[in-house]
Amino acid sequence: MLSNSGGAVPLVSLAGVSKRFPNGTLALDNVSLDIPEGQLLSLIGLSGSGKSTLLRHVNGLLRPTSGVVEVNGTQVSSASNRELRKVRRDIGFVFQQFGLVGRTTCLENVLNGALGSLKGPRYGVWSYPKILRSQAFDQLDRVGLANQAYQRADTLSGGQMQRVAIARSLMQRPKIMLADEPVASLDPESSAQVLDLLLRVSIEDGMTVVVTLHQVELALGWATRIVGLRDGKVVLDRDATTLKQEDVMEVYQRVDSSLSNESDIVSDDFASVVPAP
Amino acid sequence: MSGAHLEPLVKSASALPRAPKNWRTSVISAIFVGFVIALVWSWLYIDMTLSTVFGGFSDIWNLILYMFPPIFDNFPEALRTTLETIWMALIGTTLAVLLSIPLAFMAARNTSPHPAVIAVARGIIALTRAIPTLVLAAIFASSVGIGPFPGILALGLHSIGMIAKLFTEAIENTEATSRDAVMSTGAGKWQSILTTIIPQITPSSVGTSLYRLDINLRESAVLGFVGAGGVGFLIQSELRGLDYQRAISAVTVIFVAITLIELVSARLRASIIGDHLFSPSKQTPRSMARVASDQQKISTALAGRQLTLPWTYERVLRASVGVSYLVMMVVAFATIDMPLLSAFSLVDDLAKGIAQLFPPDFETAGSELLKGMLETTAIGFIATALGLVIAIPLGILTARNIIIRRVVITVTRGILLLIRGLPELILAVIFVAAMGLGPVPGTLALTIGTATFMAKLIGDALEEVQQAPREGVSATGASRVQEFISAVLPQALPNLVSQTLYMLDVNLRSSTVLGIVGGGGIGFLLISAIRGYETQTVGAIILVIFAIVYAIELLGAFVRWMVE
């Protein structure tokens, strides 16, 4: 079940994907990755290693310079806007900075998750069908924030904001949940809460999950598969249960070890996130 | 003994190391010298001696004496035309906002469909600002007929320049993650814009629109000078008929209206931009009762799983502001005779009106054109400089962090607010009535307008300075004046320079229209050409005005870049 090739047809598949940004940075370097249905995958790596870029290719927020991205049978990398919208409806995306519209209520933010299934622009809670409003309430209830439904989103704490963002993704009833550093802006307690929530709802709804994390212990704690990126290349791809700390070390090792200052910082950084053996 | 410590470090002045020269400071000094020369030249050009100024003040004083006691039997007419002035400003501003919204979305980098669209939209926005409202109104009045309608069109078109520019900036300053997030749910482009960008830009856009409404009310008060509706026509004809006792009553009505609306709008704007319209900073028994009742409403709604937002105090207030606006718009449309049905022929009329301006005829006006242009520039320079000289002490008197006595601040601010209630052109028309035609009354009117406006800007700039350097200087034993000169002024200086440039820009635009009421400059030529249907001369004059305005904008941008 945990083998890299997974089931017969992978739900998400990247083949030889490279991405060069207009400023010249090579963010992804010939990445190939198959993700079978139901897998809980964690992407690890330093900041700038290409984790976020990879996630944004899966739902087509970015298009590759070369290579093919296929999700649920659709070629995302060459999809038209209309096809793209259709694919995105099946993919929840959770951002580090939550991406809530601060001045509107939590209920409206959750309702925004239904936009993909509606035609035309919407403004205000009243503009959504009653049935969707009722579902939005249910999703808020699920993340434990039904009492904040009529509160403005910018009055919430960071952990609460991220839970509203998760409820918004759940409104889509997605097959795949992508989360880009979902707990990087949160304190340890909220981090644990939010990750637990994400994991619980994903298992309940049978979702495939890809999460980028830079805290290795969190990644090891709950993922079934760990993929490590360094400088846009896949340098590690393992079943989480058989993973050893030294393997993880390798992900964080700089290619250019001559920059001794930087590697010091890296190892300091690393020491704080991985418990000493 | 202590003398030994005071041994000078550097023995003679010649041994002092010189501050390194750089080209920037030399260019800035050159510009400064250039401004001084321009100022002296301006002074000589319009021959503004101290005796003419003081003679002018005594003339004005005499006129004011003639105005008393006011006769209020024209009150119904004054009230009617003042209301018309208000409705014109309201409709004109609304028109500008409606036209600005699509333009702004096309001009903003994060929402525009194509770079070419950005360039075109920004070009249109810049162009609408180039021709002063009064000039536009005069042109429209001659092509669609006199009345409030050309005035509304002029207000609507000219205001786009400011409103759309600020809307564009607001759109570009929105936070992008929420839009990415909504796009990720499969939402389309317009869905994501409406859902994430509109809520973010609403407070600042409402603030911008209210601010422009204030400006437009002042502009609208003088549109009657060119036959474009409102109270201006009444004031001007009463002054021309030497009916000073009635003129002052009409002026009083519009003055009260402008001051009241400015107070309301400033209050509304501050709370909307500060985003605390509905959460008062002070806790009073009433506000606490309100919060409690809101919480009650919300928990009832939650308990009953009510699927619509409960009517909290905040929501009620928000809705009543919106409803009042709509009611006023309905009244405005009912009061003002708007030839909406002829909208198609209107476009045609306007196109013809514009076509008539070409090819511009520079010959007929000839040397008058050059003279008008020079006079306009001279008036702008003098009014800015004089206004600045008056504004600096007034501005200091309004800064809360410098003046300790609250009374002084309140009184100064009150006086400034009252003077601001009189639009510059109304001042100008009164001054012209007192002193006769010519650039001096126009310059004085512009100077007073500049002084009150700059005083506010200076007060704000001074209040923004950091406290630490002031404490540092005070701690060395400096007096309050020394501390002000060495610790406050240097901090506020860049801001002041840029505000002065902005004021010069505004004043050069204003001085192009002073002549319309006989206050000197190119406006006089313009209005006579319009009245004489010399359309190609009008075209030439507009091009000249455009050139002046554009030149000063480029100069301003250059100086700001240098000072940066």
Side-chain angles (χ1 to χ4, degrees):
Chain A
M1 174 192 141
L2 295 171
S3 72
N4 296 351
S5 51
V9 180
L11 190 60
V12 177
S13 140
L14 284 76
V17 172
S18 294
K19 175 70 179 179
R20 190 179 285 282
F21 284 112
N23 66 11
T25 319
L26 185 63
L28 289 180
D29 188 359
N30 196 21
V31 171
S32 295
L33 191 64
D34 284 345
I35 306 170
E37 205 170 333
Q39 193 164 61
L40 306 177
L41 187 150
S42 183
L43 276 175
I44 59 171
L46 288 167
S47 57
S49 59
K51 306 182 303 270
S52 301
T53 310
L54 194 155
L55 275 196
R56 280 171 168 74
H57 276 82
V58 175
N59 80 341
L61 279 178
L62 292 174
R63 285 180 194 263
T65 314
S66 62
V68 177
V69 181
E70 206 174 288
V71 175
N72 205 11
T74 310
Q75 271 207 15
V76 176
S77 42
S78 61
S80 68
N81 280 341
R82 177 190 280 257
E83 286 171 324
L84 210 51
R85 287 189 56 186
K86 207 165 157 255
V87 175
R88 282 181 187 162
R89 265 186 249 160
D90 293 332
I91 308 176
F93 202 118
V94 175
F95 292 78
Q96 178 183 346
Q97 293 304 330
F98 325 130
L100 298 184
V101 184
R103 292 180 36 80
T104 58
T105 59
C106 296
L107 189 65
E108 186 167 351
N109 271 289
V110 176
L111 280 165
N112 291 344
L115 280 171
S117 59
L118 294 166
K119 274 199 177 121
R122 308 281 156 154
Y123 191 76
V125 168
W126 56 272
S127 63
Y128 291 85
K130 269 231 155 99
I131 176 91
L132 285 178
R133 285 187 238 166
S134 180
Q135 287 173 13
F137 245 112
D138 291 341
Q139 297 300 357
L140 269 177
D141 217 356
R142 237 177 132 191
V143 300
L145 290 172
N147 282 335
Q148 276 73 26
Y150 293 126
Q151 207 168 316
R152 262 171 66 151
D154 55 8
T155 61
L156 301 179
S157 72
Q160 288 175 322
M161 285 196 196
Q162 194 60 295
R163 279 147 69 195
V164 172
I166 291 171
R168 173 176 61 195
S169 301
L170 292 176
M171 268 308 272
Q172 300 170 238
R173 307 187 172 283
K175 284 199 178 107
I176 303 166
M177 181 71 92
L178 307 176
D180 186 12
E181 298 284 358
V183 296
S185 312
L186 304 179
D187 60 81
E189 202 179 324
S190 309
S191 296
Q193 248 185 8
V194 165
L195 268 187
D196 280 352
L197 175 71
L198 196 63
L199 189 64
R200 177 167 60 80
V201 295
S202 302
I203 293 171
E204 279 171 7
D205 293 5
M207 285 187 261
T208 307
V209 182
V210 184
V211 177
T212 69
L213 287 170
H214 67 264
Q215 295 113 310
V216 178
E217 49 186 329
L218 288 176
L220 287 174
W222 68 274
T224 50
R225 177 180 171 194
I226 305 265
V227 171
L229 286 180
R230 192 172 65 213
D231 298 327
K233 289 193 190 75
V234 175
V235 291
L236 174 93
D237 187 352
R238 287 284 187 81
D239 178 343
T241 50
T242 65
L243 193 72
K244 293 197 188 75
Q245 307 248 313
E246 303 90 83
D247 304 328
V248 182
M249 279 289 221
E250 209 157 291
V251 177
Y252 288 90
Q253 214 170 54
R254 294 297 291 250
V255 179
D256 188 354
S257 54
S258 63
L259 293 168
S260 58
N261 279 342
E262 269 189 73
S263 47
D264 277 353
I265 292 164
V266 169
S267 51
D268 278 355
D269 205 32
F270 182 62
S272 64
V273 292
V274 174
Chain B
M1 189 64 212
S2 65
H5 294 285
L6 295 173
E7 194 80 13
L9 287 170
V10 181
K11 302 277 163 138
S12 68
S14 63
L16 277 172
R18 286 198 165 188
K21 273 196 174 177
N22 79 30
W23 63 279
R24 242 167 219 273
T25 47
S26 348
V27 174
I28 290 174
S29 345
I31 292 171
F32 184 73
V33 171
F35 273 117
V36 172
I37 292 173
L39 196 59
V40 172
W41 167 82
S42 304
W43 200 277
L44 296 174
Y45 189 83
I46 64 171
D47 197 21
M48 207 163 117
T49 59
L50 280 182
S51 67
T52 48
V53 171
F54 285 109
F57 278 128
S58 82
D59 289 341
I60 292 166
W61 181 245
N62 284 333
L63 183 81
I64 291 174
L65 292 181
Y66 278 127
M67 287 174 166
F68 286 90
I71 298 175
F72 275 101
D73 64 357
N74 64 346
F75 185 73
E77 179 64 4
L79 191 64
R80 188 189 70 77
T81 49
T82 295
L83 280 175
E84 185 176 84
T85 307
I86 296 172
W87 303 142
M88 282 164 62
L90 193 66
I91 302 178
T93 310
T94 304
L95 176 67
V97 170
L98 291 180
L99 294 173
S100 293
I101 292 169
L103 271 175
F105 276 102
M106 286 191 273
R109 288 192 187 85
N110 50 343
T111 52
S112 186
H114 195 271
V117 178
I118 297 181
V120 171
R122 291 189 177 216
I124 294 174
I125 294 171
L127 209 64
T128 55
R129 218 177 44 216
I131 307 176
T133 313
L134 203 60
V135 175
L136 276 180
I139 297 170
F140 291 160
S142 71
S143 63
V144 304
I146 61 168
F149 190 52
I152 290 170
L153 283 182
L155 289 170
L157 279 186
H158 180 79
S159 312
I160 290 175
M162 179 185 120
I163 297 179
K165 186 161 177 276
L166 294 180
F167 280 12
T168 306
E169 282 164 16
I171 295 170
E172 288 185 341
N173 286 336
T174 52
E175 169 274 335
T177 320
S178 57
R179 194 160 168 226
D180 272 355
V182 169
M183 290 287 269
S184 298
T185 70
K189 184 179 175 185
W190 292 108
Q191 285 180 326
S192 74
I193 285 178
L194 195 72
T195 304
T196 68
I197 292 186
I198 298 286
Q200 291 188 60
I201 65 170
T202 302
S204 73
S205 304
V206 172
T208 300
S209 310
L210 276 172
Y211 181 51
R212 188 66 217 188
L213 181 65
D214 266 4
I215 298 176
N216 280 350
L217 187 60
R218 288 175 167 73
E219 299 244 23
S220 167
V222 300
L223 287 176
F225 296 168
V226 296
V231 75
F233 181 70
L234 182 68
I235 293 174
Q236 198 182 32
S237 52
E238 280 167 349
L239 284 174
R240 285 206 176 132
L242 309 181
D243 195 357
Y244 300 129
Q245 288 160 299
R246 288 192 176 81
I248 185 69
S249 68
V251 169
T252 308
V253 175
I254 184 69
F255 163 77
V256 169
I258 289 178
T259 310
L260 283 183
I261 291 177
E262 163 148 347
L263 284 175
V264 172
S265 124
R267 186 70 179 272
L268 211 55
R269 217 162 60 220
S271 44
I272 289 174
I273 292 173
D275 217 6
H276 56 79
L277 179 57
F278 312 110
S279 49
S281 45
K282 279 186 212 147
Q283 280 204 344
T284 61
R286 261 178 74 193
S287 75
M288 277 151 74
R290 225 179 266 145
V291 170
S293 119
D294 279 357
Q295 277 168 353
Q296 180 61 41
K297 281 177 196 158
I298 290 175
S299 45
T300 314
L302 288 171
R305 272 185 62 114
Q306 185 188 315
L307 295 176
T308 49
L309 291 179
W311 282 97
T312 54
Y313 178 70
E314 165 174 350
R315 200 164 169 232
V316 170
L317 259 189
R318 206 187 287 270
S320 40
V321 171
V323 168
S324 330
Y325 166 75
L326 287 179
V327 168
M328 284 196 291
M329 279 301 280
V330 169
V331 174
F333 271 102
T335 314
I336 288 184
D337 185 26
M338 293 268 289
L340 282 184
L341 290 177
S342 61
F344 289 106
S345 69
L346 173 81
V347 173
D348 200 43
D349 284 345
L350 288 183
K352 272 188 202 144
I354 291 167
Q356 279 178 344
L357 306 179
F358 292 94
D361 170 12
F362 291 92
E363 298 298 318
T364 317
S367 64
E368 286 292 301
L369 205 56
L370 181 69
K371 191 168 160 273
M373 188 175 144
L374 291 178
E375 199 170 85
T376 296
T377 317
I379 293 172
F381 270 104
I382 295 184
T384 310
L386 267 186
L388 184 67
V389 169
I390 302 172
I392 289 173
L394 286 176
I396 293 172
L397 287 180
T398 64
R400 263 171 286 207
N401 54 345
I402 293 172
I403 300 299
I404 299 160
R405 283 174 181 273
R406 295 298 304 228
V407 189
V408 176
I409 296 171
T410 315
V411 169
T412 319
R413 288 191 177 202
I415 293 172
L416 290 178
L417 179 76
L418 288 183
I419 299 177
R420 268 210 308 278
L422 283 177
E424 284 160 6
L425 276 185
I426 288 192
L427 280 181
V429 81
I430 294 174
F431 289 2
V432 168
M435 301 168 62
L437 298 179
V440 177
T443 310
L444 289 182
L446 215 51
T447 302
I448 291 177
T450 308
T452 53
F453 190 66
M454 278 296 286
K456 188 173 180 323
L457 295 180
I458 291 174
D460 291 348
L462 291 178
E463 284 186 356
E464 277 168 20
V465 301
Q466 292 172 357
Q467 291 301 308
R470 298 183 63 187
E471 284 168 4
V473 172
S474 299
T476 66
S479 72
R480 278 179 59 79
V481 174
Q482 286 175 325
E483 179 249 307
F484 176 78
I485 302 284
S486 357
V488 177
L489 215 52
Q491 289 192 63
L493 205 58
N495 201 343
L496 290 184
V497 169
S498 120
Q499 303 287 19
T500 307
L501 283 169
Y502 168 70
M503 209 59 230
L504 182 65
D505 185 316
V506 170
N507 278 343
L508 284 171
R509 283 164 205 261
S510 306
S511 71
T512 57
V513 298
L514 276 176
I516 291 177
V517 298
I522 202 164
F524 184 69
L525 272 186
L526 180 73
I527 199 72
S528 2
I530 289 175
R531 296 213 167 114
Y533 292 101
E534 297 159 34
T535 54
Q536 285 160 313
T537 304
V538 174
I541 296 170
I542 288 176
L543 281 185
V544 169
I545 291 179
F546 192 83
I548 298 176
V549 167
Y550 198 64
I552 199 64
E553 204 160 289
L554 285 183
L555 184 68
F558 177 69
V559 176
R560 252 171 239 135
W561 177 66
M562 291 303 302
V563 175
E564 192 67 9

